[in-house]
Amino acid sequence: SDLGWAIIEKDTNKAIELINTGANLRVYENEESIKKIVTPNLKTTYIRRMDTEVYPLAILAASAGQDEVIKAMIDKDKEAIFLKDSYENDALMWASREGHVSTVKLLLEYGFDPLYVSPLSKLSAYELSMRKDKDKVLELFIAHLLKQNRIEKFEETIWRLAGNDELGIVKKLLEL
């Protein structure tokens, strides 16, 4: 789609223009589209396991860290940002995998759950941030979950972050 290509090309102005003029936000792109955005060496747990892999435009925008495009999508069709890919991964999972801190923060504000586990990939955004060494994203998740009094899975994370605790999160966790 034209909107898909604007996102891939990181042409934010064109993407927003297309959204504002009625582009369909519930279009899915193929594997080649997502490969143009994400970091190289995409593991086969994400690609090439299904005959038909599809990625909604919100996932393309989240993978590219395009916050303004996501905001425009939310203004036009909030439910479109919650569409999942072929593996039931959501936009938060892709943004965290790519380490887009501001995008992760935005998606958390709109109700995404870092502990949602895809039934097919068997991973959550929280786990992806740990596996991909995205400590800033992981810190955001922990702070978000602390605000909600959701203290799951933190023990394994405490020592990982102990050497890099700019937000004081480890100290807070140890006080609980």
Side-chain angles (χ1 to χ4, degrees):
S1 70
D2 290 341
L3 179 54
W5 279 107
I7 293 169
I8 290 166
E9 297 294 321
K10 297 187 178 182
D11 187 344
T12 303
N13 292 332
K14 179 70 174 170
I16 291 172
E17 176 187 326
L18 289 166
I19 292 167
N20 289 335
T21 57
N24 183 357
L25 303 183
R26 294 174 183 249
V27 170
Y28 288 81
E29 296 289 336
N30 62 24
E31 173 186 340
E32 294 306 314
S33 298
I34 198 83
K35 281 182 166 181
K36 290 181 167 111
I37 295 173
V38 297
T39 34
N41 303 320
L42 192 61
K43 286 190 172 185
T44 56
T45 55
Y46 301 101
I47 299 281
R48 294 193 182 181
R49 283 230 175 133
M50 295 186 169
D51 291 335
T52 305
E53 287 123 5
V54 292
Y55 303 89
L57 294 174
I59 284 179
L60 291 184
S63 297
Q66 293 193 359
D67 299 354
E68 296 306 314
V69 172
I70 292 170
K71 288 176 189 174
M73 292 176 101
I74 290 166
D75 288 344
K76 290 294 180 183
D77 182 2
K78 182 181 176 185
E79 294 307 309
I81 67 166
F82 292 99
L83 296 174
K84 295 178 172 72
D85 68 14
S86 304
Y87 296 97
E88 296 295 315
N89 297 315
D90 61 23
L92 182 64
M93 296 169 98
W94 283 92
S96 63
R97 180 196 181 284
E98 293 300 309
H100 297 303
V101 174
S102 63
T103 305
V104 166
K105 188 173 183 179
L106 175 65
L107 295 172
L108 289 172
E109 289 170 8
Y110 280 94
F112 280 82
D113 182 1
L115 298 179
Y116 159 76
V117 176
S118 161
L120 296 173
S121 70
K122 309 288 189 226
L123 294 171
S124 68
Y126 181 91
E127 292 163 322
L128 279 170
S129 67
M130 285 183 27
R131 286 184 179 201
K132 299 293 178 184
D133 295 322
K134 306 298 182 188
D135 287 349
K136 295 294 180 199
V137 171
L138 190 57
E139 288 175 8
L140 267 178
F141 288 157
I142 292 170
H144 176 78
L145 293 166
L146 279 172
K147 285 180 192 172
Q148 296 180 337
N149 290 322
R150 294 174 66 197
I151 314 297
E152 305 125 24
K153 297 190 178 207
F154 289 154
E155 189 176 325
E156 66 186 83
T157 309
I158 290 174
W159 301 114
R160 175 183 167 75
L161 292 175
N164 181 19
D165 192 24
E166 294 174 24
L167 301 179
I169 291 170
V170 172
K171 182 179 175 191
K172 221 177 197 180
L173 284 172
L174 293 172
E175 290 170 357
L176 294 176

